[in-house]
Amino acid sequence: MKKLSFFINTVLLSGTIAIASLPAQAALPRAVNDQALPSLAPMLEQVTPSVVLISVRGTHEVQQRVPEAFRFFFGNPRLGQQQERQFRGLGSGVIIDADKGYIVTNSHVIKDAEEIQITLKDGRQLEAKKIGGDEASDIALLQIDSDDLVEVKIADSDDLRVGDFAVAIGSPFGLGQTVTSGIVSALGRSGLNIENYEDFIQTDAAINSGNSGGALINLRGELIGINTAILGPNGGNVGIGFAIPSNMVKNLVNQIIEFGEVRRGVLGVAGRSVTSEIAKAMELNINQGAFVEQVTPDSAADEAGIRAGDVITKVNGKTVKTFNELRGKIGSIGAGKTVKITVIRKDGKEKVYKVTLKKSAAAKIEAASLHRMLDGAKLENNEQGNGIVVTDIAENSPAAAIGLRKGDVINGINRQRISNLGELRSYLNDHKGVFALNIRRNNSSLFLMIR
């Protein structure tokens, strides 16, 4: 446990401590020359109620090492026994929709959580349910049911500049809500191997353990990022913190709301960041960007006209400096979305392509994550927007046993219309008991029961 040190002006006399008193007139004035002193307090009073404390409880499996002399008696001599161990954890979150009770946080904050409790700034404690999450980008969406919630306004993180002021809000070390300030130290940070998709805002605002999932805001009180990691020895703050940009968060959350998960779009290129060596070897007149080494046949990039040897310099008009930054930006944009990709050709000419991102190979979900009786089915949203298509069924699976077939379209549950996977997941999370799936098969309609 860390010790907190408090420093005061003291004088030691005869073994006692005398605290030097300050004259009454030394109190700080609220104004100088009739001008109010600058303060973040008015803005923070409006924003801090949107930042919450998240407490989790759960169990996870740990491997117990077995002494060499006893390993003969276990099935696999190279492995120990798997045991379940209870854990508790703390983190932060941000209310982004007061009407629907949506809270965004980091995926690692609630990983393996069986109970999620939200503590609001006013002291109210509420149980939260997980709507969905994405470990690759470390974003998760929770929901609570309560009145009088306060949401934060989301800013356009693409408008950020290095040197802009930034304020971090969270609950470090479980001490309670804490505010720190600094500046935006860098943009587009990637290659840190913290997450699979990285496009971080770097800040020197103090971020410590427990701040994960909290808010990084600008001086207007708008959300510019979700605090996610720090770089420092033993988890301590050294003025290098990282936040997921708000635009990336917004793209991911919209997919989670619609599908119950992230459906990444795929550009279909492989490459590396431009370096001075690559620029010299390829006779390029630029030293930054994403160099395209290979274009996948029939991919979105191939169909749009992007070629190997191109250097991608912008996505939707925003500069891309590295290949990892390109991967992070594209990775947060959903399949089917159209983006503008700016490239520089070897001849130095700039071209802009409109590219419609294709579905990732992992776009189809295993339906067991929705309900155990759907195990063995693969589902995806109907492109026409009127239901969920069963794209595959495993033989002898629970999904096959209840009568699901490849090509079925689920368009309702318990007589309630269902348009997409997000609505189906939400309904199953909110209700218990027996469910009747309304299925459209060819030109007929039928109900299949699951419990």
Side-chain angles (χ1 to χ4, degrees), residues 25-51:
Q25 62 268 27
L28 288 176
R30 293 183 177 272
V32 176
N33 296 329
D34 296 326
Q35 296 292 321
L37 290 176
S39 175
L40 297 178
M43 177 271 288
L44 290 170
E45 288 169 357
Q46 302 298 315
V47 177
T48 50
S50 67
V51 182

mmCIF file of all heavy atoms in Angstrom, residues 25-51:
data_model
loop_
_atom_site.group_PDB
_atom_site.id
_atom_site.type_symbol
_atom_site.label_atom_id
_atom_site.label_comp_id
_atom_site.label_asym_id
_atom_site.label_seq_id
_atom_site.Cartn_x
_atom_site.Cartn_y
_atom_site.Cartn_z
ATOM 1 N N GLN A 25 -5.834 37.981 6.093
ATOM 2 C CA GLN A 25 -5.836 38.717 4.835
ATOM 3 C C GLN A 25 -5.095 37.972 3.725
ATOM 4 O O GLN A 25 -5.109 38.391 2.580
ATOM 5 C CB GLN A 25 -5.239 40.112 5.013
ATOM 6 C CG GLN A 25 -3.771 40.121 5.453
ATOM 7 C CD GLN A 25 -3.644 40.170 6.963
ATOM 8 O OE1 GLN A 25 -4.554 39.715 7.663
ATOM 9 N NE2 GLN A 25 -2.565 40.742 7.458
ATOM 10 N N ALA A 26 -4.439 36.846 4.085
ATOM 11 C CA ALA A 26 -3.693 36.100 3.069
ATOM 12 C C ALA A 26 -4.593 35.220 2.201
ATOM 13 O O ALA A 26 -4.122 34.583 1.284
ATOM 14 C CB ALA A 26 -2.620 35.246 3.730
ATOM 15 N N ALA A 27 -5.876 35.125 2.527
ATOM 16 C CA ALA A 27 -6.791 34.312 1.724
ATOM 17 C C ALA A 27 -6.804 34.813 0.286
ATOM 18 O O ALA A 27 -6.784 36.009 0.024
ATOM 19 C CB ALA A 27 -8.202 34.372 2.311
ATOM 20 N N LEU A 28 -6.828 33.882 -0.656
ATOM 21 C CA LEU A 28 -6.785 34.256 -2.068
ATOM 22 C C LEU A 28 -8.042 35.036 -2.459
ATOM 23 O O LEU A 28 -9.152 34.637 -2.136
ATOM 24 C CB LEU A 28 -6.670 33.002 -2.940
ATOM 25 C CG LEU A 28 -5.319 32.282 -2.909
ATOM 26 C CD1 LEU A 28 -5.398 31.008 -3.732
ATOM 27 C CD2 LEU A 28 -4.211 33.176 -3.418
ATOM 28 N N PRO A 29 -7.889 36.116 -3.168
ATOM 29 C CA PRO A 29 -9.054 36.881 -3.629
ATOM 30 C C PRO A 29 -9.741 36.169 -4.775
ATOM 31 O O PRO A 29 -9.131 35.408 -5.514
ATOM 32 C CB PRO A 29 -8.442 38.205 -4.090
ATOM 33 C CG PRO A 29 -7.058 37.826 -4.520
ATOM 34 C CD PRO A 29 -6.613 36.747 -3.576
ATOM 35 N N ARG A 30 -11.035 36.395 -4.930
ATOM 36 C CA ARG A 30 -11.787 35.832 -6.043
ATOM 37 C C ARG A 30 -11.652 36.685 -7.298
ATOM 38 O O ARG A 30 -11.992 36.255 -8.387
ATOM 39 C CB ARG A 30 -13.267 35.685 -5.678
ATOM 40 C CG ARG A 30 -13.511 34.633 -4.596
ATOM 41 C CD ARG A 30 -14.997 34.485 -4.321
ATOM 42 N NE ARG A 30 -15.233 33.428 -3.352
ATOM 43 C CZ ARG A 30 -15.395 32.149 -3.664
ATOM 44 N NH1 ARG A 30 -15.328 31.774 -4.917
ATOM 45 N NH2 ARG A 30 -15.617 31.249 -2.728
ATOM 46 N N ALA A 31 -11.189 37.927 -7.127
ATOM 47 C CA ALA A 31 -11.026 38.799 -8.280
ATOM 48 C C ALA A 31 -9.884 39.760 -8.023
ATOM 49 O O ALA A 31 -9.540 40.072 -6.877
ATOM 50 C CB ALA A 31 -12.319 39.573 -8.545
ATOM 51 N N VAL A 32 -9.266 40.195 -9.099
ATOM 52 C CA VAL A 32 -8.202 41.184 -9.032
ATOM 53 C C VAL A 32 -8.550 42.307 -10.002
ATOM 54 O O VAL A 32 -8.806 42.052 -11.180
ATOM 55 C CB VAL A 32 -6.838 40.558 -9.405
ATOM 56 C CG1 VAL A 32 -5.757 41.624 -9.436
ATOM 57 C CG2 VAL A 32 -6.476 39.451 -8.416
ATOM 58 N N ASN A 33 -8.577 43.541 -9.477
ATOM 59 C CA ASN A 33 -8.962 44.686 -10.311
ATOM 60 C C ASN A 33 -10.306 44.452 -10.996
ATOM 61 O O ASN A 33 -10.483 44.710 -12.183
ATOM 62 C CB ASN A 33 -7.883 44.969 -11.359
ATOM 63 C CG ASN A 33 -6.567 45.388 -10.729
ATOM 64 O OD1 ASN A 33 -6.541 46.006 -9.653
ATOM 65 N ND2 ASN A 33 -5.456 45.049 -11.379
ATOM 66 N N ASP A 34 -11.233 43.908 -10.202
ATOM 67 C CA ASP A 34 -12.591 43.632 -10.684
ATOM 68 C C ASP A 34 -12.633 42.590 -11.809
ATOM 69 O O ASP A 34 -13.649 42.442 -12.478
ATOM 70 C CB ASP A 34 -13.282 44.926 -11.168
ATOM 71 C CG ASP A 34 -13.481 45.911 -10.031
ATOM 72 O OD1 ASP A 34 -13.720 45.452 -8.899
ATOM 73 O OD2 ASP A 34 -13.392 47.126 -10.295
ATOM 74 N N GLN A 35 -11.541 41.874 -12.019
ATOM 75 C CA GLN A 35 -11.497 40.809 -13.016
ATOM 76 C C GLN A 35 -11.476 39.464 -12.286
ATOM 77 O O GLN A 35 -10.620 39.226 -11.441
ATOM 78 C CB GLN A 35 -10.255 40.935 -13.909
ATOM 79 C CG GLN A 35 -10.210 42.196 -14.755
ATOM 80 C CD GLN A 35 -11.281 42.213 -15.830
ATOM 81 O OE1 GLN A 35 -11.561 41.184 -16.441
ATOM 82 N NE2 GLN A 35 -11.887 43.371 -16.046
ATOM 83 N N ALA A 36 -12.432 38.591 -12.622
ATOM 84 C CA ALA A 36 -12.503 37.280 -11.978
ATOM 85 C C ALA A 36 -11.266 36.458 -12.311
ATOM 86 O O ALA A 36 -10.760 36.493 -13.445
ATOM 87 C CB ALA A 36 -13.753 36.538 -12.441
ATOM 88 N N LEU A 37 -10.738 35.753 -11.306
ATOM 89 C CA LEU A 37 -9.595 34.885 -11.546
ATOM 90 C C LEU A 37 -10.018 33.713 -12.434
ATOM 91 O O LEU A 37 -11.115 33.172 -12.293
ATOM 92 C CB LEU A 37 -9.055 34.350 -10.220
ATOM 93 C CG LEU A 37 -8.365 35.370 -9.308
ATOM 94 C CD1 LEU A 37 -7.982 34.717 -8.008
ATOM 95 C CD2 LEU A 37 -7.137 35.947 -10.003
ATOM 96 N N PRO A 38 -9.139 33.315 -13.369
ATOM 97 C CA PRO A 38 -9.477 32.179 -14.241
ATOM 98 C C PRO A 38 -9.633 30.900 -13.423
ATOM 99 O O PRO A 38 -8.870 30.644 -12.492
ATOM 100 C CB PRO A 38 -8.286 32.094 -15.191
ATOM 101 C CG PRO A 38 -7.167 32.771 -14.476
ATOM 102 C CD PRO A 38 -7.796 33.855 -13.654
ATOM 103 N N SER A 39 -10.651 30.103 -13.757
ATOM 104 C CA SER A 39 -10.914 28.867 -13.026
ATOM 105 C C SER A 39 -11.654 27.895 -13.930
ATOM 106 O O SER A 39 -12.493 28.296 -14.744
ATOM 107 C CB SER A 39 -11.756 29.151 -11.773
ATOM 108 O OG SER A 39 -12.110 27.939 -11.134
ATOM 109 N N LEU A 40 -11.332 26.614 -13.763
ATOM 110 C CA LEU A 40 -12.039 25.560 -14.485
ATOM 111 C C LEU A 40 -13.296 25.112 -13.750
ATOM 112 O O LEU A 40 -14.067 24.307 -14.270
ATOM 113 C CB LEU A 40 -11.118 24.350 -14.682
ATOM 114 C CG LEU A 40 -9.859 24.560 -15.522
ATOM 115 C CD1 LEU A 40 -9.039 23.277 -15.565
ATOM 116 C CD2 LEU A 40 -10.214 25.002 -16.927
ATOM 117 N N ALA A 41 -13.494 25.634 -12.548
ATOM 118 C CA ALA A 41 -14.585 25.155 -11.698
ATOM 119 C C ALA A 41 -15.963 25.259 -12.353
ATOM 120 O O ALA A 41 -16.744 24.297 -12.300
ATOM 121 C CB ALA A 41 -14.573 25.890 -10.356
ATOM 122 N N PRO A 42 -16.343 26.394 -12.970
ATOM 123 C CA PRO A 42 -17.685 26.475 -13.568
ATOM 124 C C PRO A 42 -17.924 25.402 -14.630
ATOM 125 O O PRO A 42 -18.994 24.796 -14.672
ATOM 126 C CB PRO A 42 -17.701 27.887 -14.177
ATOM 127 C CG PRO A 42 -16.723 28.660 -13.363
ATOM 128 C CD PRO A 42 -15.630 27.693 -13.050
ATOM 129 N N MET A 43 -16.920 25.160 -15.477
ATOM 130 C CA MET A 43 -17.064 24.126 -16.498
ATOM 131 C C MET A 43 -17.150 22.739 -15.870
ATOM 132 O O MET A 43 -17.994 21.915 -16.238
ATOM 133 C CB MET A 43 -15.890 24.199 -17.473
ATOM 134 C CG MET A 43 -15.889 23.124 -18.556
ATOM 135 S SD MET A 43 -15.020 21.608 -18.053
ATOM 136 C CE MET A 43 -13.319 22.165 -18.080
ATOM 137 N N LEU A 44 -16.294 22.465 -14.895
ATOM 138 C CA LEU A 44 -16.272 21.147 -14.269
ATOM 139 C C LEU A 44 -17.553 20.843 -13.505
ATOM 140 O O LEU A 44 -17.987 19.688 -13.437
ATOM 141 C CB LEU A 44 -15.064 21.032 -13.338
ATOM 142 C CG LEU A 44 -13.700 20.968 -14.038
ATOM 143 C CD1 LEU A 44 -12.571 21.100 -13.034
ATOM 144 C CD2 LEU A 44 -13.565 19.664 -14.821
ATOM 145 N N GLU A 45 -18.172 21.865 -12.925
ATOM 146 C CA GLU A 45 -19.438 21.652 -12.224
ATOM 147 C C GLU A 45 -20.511 21.110 -13.162
ATOM 148 O O GLU A 45 -21.413 20.384 -12.733
ATOM 149 C CB GLU A 45 -19.899 22.954 -11.578
ATOM 150 C CG GLU A 45 -19.060 23.355 -10.359
ATOM 151 C CD GLU A 45 -19.352 24.766 -9.885
ATOM 152 O OE1 GLU A 45 -20.168 25.458 -10.547
ATOM 153 O OE2 GLU A 45 -18.765 25.201 -8.872
ATOM 154 N N GLN A 46 -20.406 21.444 -14.452
ATOM 155 C CA GLN A 46 -21.368 20.962 -15.430
ATOM 156 C C GLN A 46 -21.017 19.568 -15.953
ATOM 157 O O GLN A 46 -21.899 18.788 -16.309
ATOM 158 C CB GLN A 46 -21.437 21.947 -16.618
ATOM 159 C CG GLN A 46 -21.800 23.367 -16.256
ATOM 160 C CD GLN A 46 -23.179 23.462 -15.637
ATOM 161 O OE1 GLN A 46 -24.133 22.850 -16.125
ATOM 162 N NE2 GLN A 46 -23.293 24.231 -14.563
ATOM 163 N N VAL A 47 -19.727 19.250 -15.980
ATOM 164 C CA VAL A 47 -19.275 18.020 -16.639
ATOM 165 C C VAL A 47 -19.070 16.846 -15.689
ATOM 166 O O VAL A 47 -19.389 15.698 -16.027
ATOM 167 C CB VAL A 47 -17.956 18.291 -17.409
ATOM 168 C CG1 VAL A 47 -17.421 17.005 -18.035
ATOM 169 C CG2 VAL A 47 -18.175 19.343 -18.471
ATOM 170 N N THR A 48 -18.539 17.090 -14.501
ATOM 171 C CA THR A 48 -18.168 15.977 -13.617
ATOM 172 C C THR A 48 -19.320 15.026 -13.259
ATOM 173 O O THR A 48 -19.058 13.843 -13.021
ATOM 174 C CB THR A 48 -17.511 16.506 -12.318
ATOM 175 O OG1 THR A 48 -18.336 17.532 -11.736
ATOM 176 C CG2 THR A 48 -16.141 17.072 -12.614
ATOM 177 N N PRO A 49 -20.593 15.473 -13.224
ATOM 178 C CA PRO A 49 -21.652 14.492 -12.951
ATOM 179 C C PRO A 49 -21.792 13.418 -14.027
ATOM 180 O O PRO A 49 -22.448 12.398 -13.802
ATOM 181 C CB PRO A 49 -22.922 15.368 -12.879
ATOM 182 C CG PRO A 49 -22.432 16.714 -12.486
ATOM 183 C CD PRO A 49 -21.122 16.851 -13.187
ATOM 184 N N SER A 50 -21.176 13.632 -15.189
ATOM 185 C CA SER A 50 -21.271 12.638 -16.264
ATOM 186 C C SER A 50 -20.201 11.554 -16.140
ATOM 187 O O SER A 50 -20.234 10.564 -16.872
ATOM 188 C CB SER A 50 -21.145 13.316 -17.629
ATOM 189 O OG SER A 50 -19.842 13.837 -17.815
ATOM 190 N N VAL A 51 -19.249 11.731 -15.216
ATOM 191 C CA VAL A 51 -18.177 10.747 -15.028
ATOM 192 C C VAL A 51 -18.484 9.907 -13.797
ATOM 193 O O VAL A 51 -18.783 10.449 -12.727
ATOM 194 C CB VAL A 51 -16.808 11.430 -14.890
ATOM 195 C CG1 VAL A 51 -15.700 10.386 -14.753
ATOM 196 C CG2 VAL A 51 -16.534 12.318 -16.102
#
